[in-house]
Amino acid sequence: MAKNIINLLIILAVLLTIFNNININSNTQLLNYSKFVQLIKNNKVRTVIIDGSFINGEHKDGSKFKTIRPTIEDPSLIDDLLNHSVSIVGKEQTKNSIWSKLFISSFPILIIIAGLLFFMRQMQIQVGGKKGGPLVFGNSKAKLISKDQIKITFREVAGCDEAKFEIEEVVEFLKDVQKFTKFGGKIPKGVLMIGPPGTGKTLLAKAIAGEAKVPFFTISGSEFVEMFVGIGASRVRNMFVQAKKKAPCIIFIDEIDAVGRNRGSNLLGGGGHDEREQTLNQLLVEMDGFESNKGTIVIAATNRPDVLDKALLRPGRFDRKVNINLPDSRGRENIINIHLRKIPLSDDVETKIIAMGTPGCSGAELANIVNEAAILAAKRKVKLVSMFDLEKAKDKIIMGTERRSMVMSEKEKRNTAYHEAGHAIIGLLMPEHDPIYKVSIIPRGQALGVTMFLPKIDRYCYSRKQVLSHICSLFGGRIAEELTQGFSGVTTGASNDIKCATEIAHNMVYKWGFSSNMGPIMYDEYKINNQLYNRTLLKSINTFENLDKEIFNIIDFCYFKAYSILKRNIDKLDLMAESLFFYESINLNQIQQIMYGVFPQTD
């Protein structure tokens, strides 16, 4: 509506401008005032029409002219006209011309008003209800997806079997409410999905609606909060009003932490954002107020449950809390199989191997790997996606894109080969270390080379021996440089390795109780009401010194352990470095050949 008003005003202004500037006759001659006076004195003017500052006249030969009177009054003009027998006609200003000039002069103000109307509409401050009804501030931005539009079911969801099992009860509630209410049971009002990004929280919510065949309202938490106080609360009310009309239905709020954060959680411990807090208060009332929301289930998703307000998390609002974690090996295999359904595959594709090689990957990352494999196959102009394409896509997602354009000198390339060979050999020979998968000196991302270790099974906790083995392998690259180039030839390439090793040693002493002298005590920071505190005042200077000594002892032990292993296997270090320099990338089979003292051959 506001756009139409702006367009209409512009058109009217243009038409009035054209109308006021158009000449009565296209042949009208424009004269300056001096020429006009001279024509009068030469008896060449027959008639003049005086219209304010404009004078329209007619020559005695019948031609027309036009001139503009100067600002300074000319008292002799009328006498000159009468003395030379010129017919004088005066023109009265009409009301229409006055209004048109007034409209043109006020046109900028009208444009500003129309612009404000347009922006008010964009902010959802608009007329609602019936024609001529009252103003409704903050109409809901929730998008309604009808039950016929939702094609996603539990068949398209994998890698979260426990979450699906919990959610199936909600589907049963929506399908047959009477089945549970006749025993006195109440339908759950809310389900909170908690999990890392990309684990399928939104997908699972859509699958619930698809399985239950009910309407699905979807909105992001950030869409409630606006600059003006009260709009967000109004949107919440409006959304629940719409949902009640469609009940039974699902309201899905993505990233609810944008609106559901702890009230009064600013840096000083009090106060807060009035608009966000009022929106949260309204959400709390709608979910568990005096009015019942029969058949309306709120499903919310977040990866930050620690910042949510306690009133939002209590039973009666979010009755169910469903944790959706990163998928295990079997779950990753099922996810990959789902995404490969519509992709033509060659016979050599083994999804189990891809699943084992992607520990810690979310469902979104696995979908990205499959998509990258399809793109690589299209670039190669082949008809089927092969294992080669999937392996390449996996390396690209996990290790980064190859930087083939990066030119390295022969000396730097050889030093990188020794660095990565040091990591690989220590990882192979340390007890309980993750198996090696691939070594490459092709620059990827920010790294000049990559050594990949992949566990045979998914691990959720690590022993002290495994952690020490990992620190030793981190120092393998620097030690290899030191053995081949001398201490003065060590480069900065090991900076990230040293950082990771130091952080692990710090956690061993401060968090995990892996120090024999300091005992199983938590020395690091802790949280109270989501606020970080440091227990500095509870530690003496002597305790700090002992903690530092324990970290130094762990680092020294791992460094010299790795040093002795590499020194005993210097011949294998040289052979692996030469193989990397020659092939640039070597796999597990080639690494095993090197460990037997044989220069590796390609598969």
Side-chain angles (χ1 to χ4, degrees):
M1 181 179 178
K3 267 187 179 178
N4 295 334
I5 294 174
I6 293 174
N7 293 334
L8 182 62
L9 289 174
I10 293 173
I11 293 170
L12 287 174
V14 171
L15 290 175
L16 286 171
T17 303
I18 293 172
F19 176 77
N20 286 326
N21 288 295
I22 193 169
N23 292 323
I24 297 173
N25 191 322
S26 59
N27 295 324
T28 301
Q29 182 183 10
L30 182 62
L31 301 176
N32 57 48
Y33 190 75
S34 301
K35 182 70 173 177
F36 167 65
V37 173
Q38 189 65 38
L39 289 173
I40 294 172
K41 292 180 179 179
N42 293 337
N43 296 317
K44 292 185 178 181
V45 178
R46 179 185 296 165
T47 306
V48 294
I49 301 172
I50 300 175
D51 181 12
S53 299
F54 297 98
I55 298 176
N56 295 300
E58 181 181 351
H59 294 287
K60 288 187 176 180
D61 58 3
S63 61
K64 306 218 181 240
F65 66 88
K66 182 179 181 179
T67 188
I68 300 173
R69 297 175 64 182
T71 306
I72 301 172
E73 291 291 336
D74 185 4
S76 61
L77 175 60
I78 301 298
D79 294 336
D80 290 339
L81 291 171
L82 293 173
N83 293 335
H84 294 84
S85 303
V86 178
S87 177
I88 304 172
V89 179
K91 189 174 181 182
E92 180 183 4
Q93 286 190 342
T94 63
K95 292 183 179 180
N96 289 336
S97 63
I98 293 173
W99 282 109
S100 65
K101 289 180 181 179
L102 180 62
F103 178 79
I104 292 173
S105 62
S106 60
F107 180 69
I109 298 173
L110 294 174
I111 287 290
I112 293 172
I113 294 172
L116 287 174
L117 289 174
F118 174 74
F119 286 115
M120 287 170 68
R121 182 174 177 82
Q122 291 298 104
M123 294 173 60
Q124 300 296 315
I125 304 176
Q126 55 188 4
V127 177
K130 297 181 179 179
K131 186 176 180 181
L135 284 175
V136 177
F137 294 89
N139 282 3
S140 172
K141 286 188 174 183
K143 298 175 183 176
L144 173 61
I145 303 174
S146 66
K147 57 185 179 182
D148 298 326
Q149 292 177 306
I150 303 174
K151 306 298 182 183
I152 297 173
T153 62
F154 284 153
R155 188 171 175 267
E156 281 72 40
V157 181
C160 52
D161 295 337
E162 294 82 4
K164 284 168 64 176
F165 179 76
E166 284 193 65
I167 290 300
E168 283 175 357
E169 292 184 6
V170 178
V171 175
E172 290 296 323
F173 276 126
L174 291 167
K175 283 183 176 179
D176 187 5
V177 179
Q178 300 298 327
K179 176 181 176 181
F180 298 91
T181 54
K182 69 181 180 181
F183 291 103
K186 295 181 179 179
I187 186 170
K189 295 183 179 180
V191 178
L192 180 64
M193 295 184 179
I194 302 169
T199 49
K201 299 184 289 294
T202 304
L203 183 68
L204 190 57
K206 289 181 179 178
I208 295 170
E211 289 284 342
K213 300 295 182 183
V214 295
F216 183 79
F217 289 88
T218 176
I219 190 171
S220 172
S222 61
E223 291 184 79
F224 287 114
V225 184
E226 289 286 356
M227 181 174 64
F228 297 105
V229 176
I231 295 178
S234 177
R235 286 178 180 170
V236 172
R237 287 192 297 271
N238 189 278
M239 180 179 66
F240 276 89
V241 168
Q242 293 179 31
K244 288 174 186 176
K245 294 177 182 177
K246 300 287 184 179
C249 66
I250 291 173
I251 297 174
F252 178 63
I253 305 175
D254 198 10
E255 305 296 345
I256 194 172
D257 50 276
V259 69
R261 286 176 176 266
N262 279 316
R263 287 167 288 184
S265 57
N266 64 359
L267 293 175
L268 299 177
H273 192 287
D274 288 339
E275 163 63 359
R276 182 178 58 77
E277 292 190 2
Q278 286 198 23
T279 305
L280 175 58
N281 291 337
Q282 187 63 44
L283 182 61
L284 296 176
V285 171
E286 293 291 343
M287 290 189 68
D288 189 25
F290 287 106
E291 295 186 18
S292 61
N293 296 321
K294 293 182 179 179
T296 302
I297 296 180
V298 179
I299 300 177
T302 182
N303 54 9
R304 296 286 310 280
D306 55 309
V307 303
L308 295 179
D309 195 88
K310 291 182 179 179
L312 191 65
L313 298 176
R314 74 162 178 82
R317 291 194 173 110
F318 283 107
D319 304 287
R320 304 288 177 87
K321 296 180 181 65
V322 179
N323 289 294
I324 305 175
N325 299 313
L326 293 171
D328 57 13
S329 180
R330 187 166 57 88
R332 292 194 298 272
E333 184 180 354
N334 293 334
I335 292 172
I336 293 170
N337 286 329
I338 288 174
H339 292 296
L340 287 175
R341 284 176 186 170
K342 298 181 180 179
I343 293 178
L345 300 175
S346 62
D347 296 333
D348 65 338
V349 172
E350 296 184 43
T351 54
K352 186 175 182 179
I353 295 176
I354 299 297
M356 290 178 62
T358 52
C361 285
S362 65
E365 290 170 322
L366 295 172
N368 197 17
I369 288 173
V370 173
N371 183 60
E372 286 291 338
I375 293 172
L376 288 172
K379 286 182 178 179
R380 294 197 301 125
K381 298 181 180 179
V382 293
K383 295 182 179 180
L384 300 174
V385 175
S386 65
M387 193 68 177
F388 171 82
D389 299 310
L390 287 167
E391 289 281 357
K392 279 282 187 181
K394 181 187 68 175
D395 292 345
K396 180 179 179 181
I397 299 302
I398 295 177
M399 298 190 294
T401 307
E402 292 182 359
R403 293 192 291 167
R404 291 280 183 179
S405 60
M406 183 177 179
V407 180
M408 295 171 61
S409 65
E410 183 176 339
K411 181 180 179 182
E412 197 167 33
K413 188 176 178 181
R414 191 173 295 277
N415 188 70
T416 303
Y418 271 102
H419 184 102
E420 299 304 328
H423 286 308
I425 291 174
I426 296 297
L428 279 167
L429 299 178
M430 287 300 297
E432 298 188 28
H433 197 282
D434 291 337
I436 194 166
Y437 166 68
K438 181 183 288 186
V439 185
S440 173
I441 59 169
I442 299 172
R444 290 178 180 270
Q446 299 298 318
L448 298 179
V450 179
T451 302
M452 284 196 67
F453 298 96
L454 294 179
K456 292 181 180 179
I457 58 173
D458 292 322
R459 286 179 175 166
Y460 304 101
C461 56
Y462 293 85
S463 66
R464 187 175 187 274
K465 184 184 290 186
Q466 290 169 337
V467 174
L468 290 173
S469 296
H470 183 48
I471 296 176
C472 289
S473 66
L474 286 170
F475 284 127
R478 176 187 169 90
I479 294 169
E481 292 182 18
E482 187 175 341
L483 287 173
T484 55
Q485 304 293 330
F487 185 75
S488 59
V490 173
T491 67
T492 59
S495 60
N496 190 62
D497 300 329
I498 294 171
K499 177 187 174 184
C500 292
T502 306
E503 287 178 353
I504 294 171
H506 177 274
N507 290 335
M508 287 178 68
V509 176
Y510 276 74
K511 291 184 178 180
W512 301 335
F514 282 172
S515 170
S516 57
N517 294 325
M518 300 307 296
I521 300 174
M522 170 68 78
Y523 292 99
D524 223 340
E525 67 276 350
Y526 65 101
K527 282 186 177 181
I528 295 179
N529 294 331
N530 300 313
Q531 297 291 326
L532 279 175
Y533 294 89
N534 196 296
R535 303 185 68 178
T536 304
L537 297 177
L538 302 181
K539 297 180 214 167
S540 65
I541 296 176
N542 186 49
T543 302
F544 273 114
E545 290 177 353
N546 291 333
L547 288 169
D548 290 342
K549 283 180 183 178
E550 287 298 309
I551 295 174
F552 291 143
N553 290 338
I554 291 172
I555 295 295
D556 287 345
F557 170 79
C558 293
Y559 192 88
F560 288 110
K561 179 78 172 177
Y563 189 93
S564 62
I565 291 174
L566 271 188
K567 196 168 184 180
R568 289 197 306 268
N569 295 274
I570 192 70
D571 55 334
K572 296 181 178 63
L573 179 67
D574 292 332
L575 183 59
M576 188 177 291
E578 288 299 326
S579 303
L580 281 169
F581 190 81
F582 183 77
Y583 290 115
E584 290 189 330
S585 291
I586 55 176
N587 56 28
L588 178 59
N589 293 331
Q590 292 171 311
I591 292 170
Q592 289 174 344
Q593 294 177 46
I594 292 169
M595 297 308 290
Y596 283 112
V598 180
F599 192 84
Q601 302 298 317
T602 56
D603 297 335

